Amino acid sequence: MADQQRRIVINLPRAPRPDETVGLNIVTGPLPLGAEIRFRTASGHVIGSAIPFGRTDPDKQLVFQLSLSGRYIDGSRLEIFADMLDAGSSLPRAPTEQELVSVKAWIVQQ
């Protein structure tokens, strides 16, 4: 299973309150049409997916934004897992460093 997903750990400046939201800024490299990078918390809660639409420039990075309720985060350490499905495949794999470039998080002030 370890080779089918990528573990990402982000240290937030503080633990979010349950009523707060944590924003995720996801940067990918160019992704093939039909590819999907899926994100889940360590406990298995689905956060969302990064899916390109239409043709993308093969030299440009893509930026996606997702959000996660603070109630799914225990403390100030956010641990998420990413896996990737290629077009037409049902077998997930870990995204490469070129496919999933970075994930940054911040607490959205309420």
Side-chain angles (χ1 to χ4, degrees):
M1 181 75 166
D3 60 344
Q4 296 174 350
Q5 58 188 356
R6 186 162 143 197
R7 179 176 173 258
I8 301 155
V9 177
I10 300 169
N11 291 310
L12 297 168
R14 64 173 174 79
R17 295 187 314 260
D19 64 336
E20 290 182 309
T21 300
V22 172
L24 297 173
N25 192 66
I26 298 160
V27 177
T28 73
L31 297 174
L33 191 60
E36 174 184 11
I37 301 177
R38 305 179 300 184
F39 298 89
R40 291 181 177 78
T41 63
S43 64
H45 176 79
V46 174
I47 300 169
S49 296
I51 305 169
F53 292 98
R55 296 205 182 274
T56 58
D57 186 329
D59 297 323
K60 300 243 182 198
Q61 293 182 331
L62 303 172
V63 178
F64 300 89
Q65 292 188 335
L66 300 173
S67 62
L68 176 65
S69 172
R71 76 175 143 235
Y72 297 110
I73 303 169
D74 186 23
S76 62
R77 185 172 178 263
L78 173 59
E79 183 177 18
I80 60 177
F81 291 89
D83 65 23
M84 182 163 175
L85 287 174
D86 291 306
S89 175
S90 61
L91 297 174
R93 64 174 178 83
T96 67
E97 297 285 329
Q98 293 77 30
E99 292 165 335
L100 180 55
V101 176
S102 69
V103 179
K104 296 189 171 143
W106 69 96
I107 299 172
V108 178
Q109 301 295 320
Q110 300 283 332

